[in-house]
Amino acid sequence: AWGMFAGDFGAFWILTRNDFAPFIGGGAGIRHVREDRLNPISTGSVVRASSNDLEEDSGWGPGVFTRIGIMFFRTYAVRMAVDLEYDVTFVDLHDNGPPQSFNFGVRLIF
């Protein structure tokens, strides 16, 4: 299981004033990430016994993200945006380095 709490601030630059407007932006903040892993353990060569060992790791650290996308109906009260985001949190979980992700989003903006 994996989870993250993020408190981020960001800024975005809308590239045109049209109803269909591309944008770019990014931000940073503080995050808490947690990862639980089940590692299989086996013992014995003739009679085998196996079980799962639960390893838990968590921590606080800084994180950053960048985002690009397009906003639809920019001049209306209700808008929609489609975007792609790259995110990295600088916490080393289980000695695997910082967690990174690419996220695709569809958003309604009121």
Side-chain angles (χ1 to χ4, degrees):
W2 192 89
M4 178 174 71
F5 169 78
D8 290 335
F9 290 97
F12 301 94
W13 181 32
I14 299 173
L15 301 173
T16 66
R17 294 182 180 260
N18 301 330
D19 276 343
F20 301 98
F23 64 90
I24 60 173
I30 189 76
R31 290 132 182 230
H32 182 267
V33 291
R34 176 183 181 86
E35 182 180 34
D36 299 336
R37 289 184 179 178
L38 287 176
N39 292 324
I41 299 172
S42 297
T43 59
S45 59
V46 176
V47 176
R48 290 196 101 16
S50 63
S51 68
N52 289 316
D53 181 31
L54 178 63
E55 287 186 30
E56 300 173 349
D57 198 1
S58 65
W60 287 91
V64 296
F65 69 92
T66 60
R67 188 179 295 160
I68 61 170
I70 187 162
M71 186 182 301
F72 300 94
F73 316 115
R74 187 191 66 80
T75 60
Y76 292 77
V78 177
R79 301 169 201 100
M80 185 178 93
V82 176
D83 57 54
L84 180 65
E85 176 183 279
Y86 172 72
D87 189 294
V88 61
T89 301
F90 297 101
V91 174
D92 191 7
L93 298 177
H94 301 287
D95 297 324
N96 286 336
Q100 304 175 51
S101 64
F102 283 98
N103 305 304
F104 174 77
V106 177
R107 305 170 197 280
L108 284 177
I109 304 164
F110 297 93

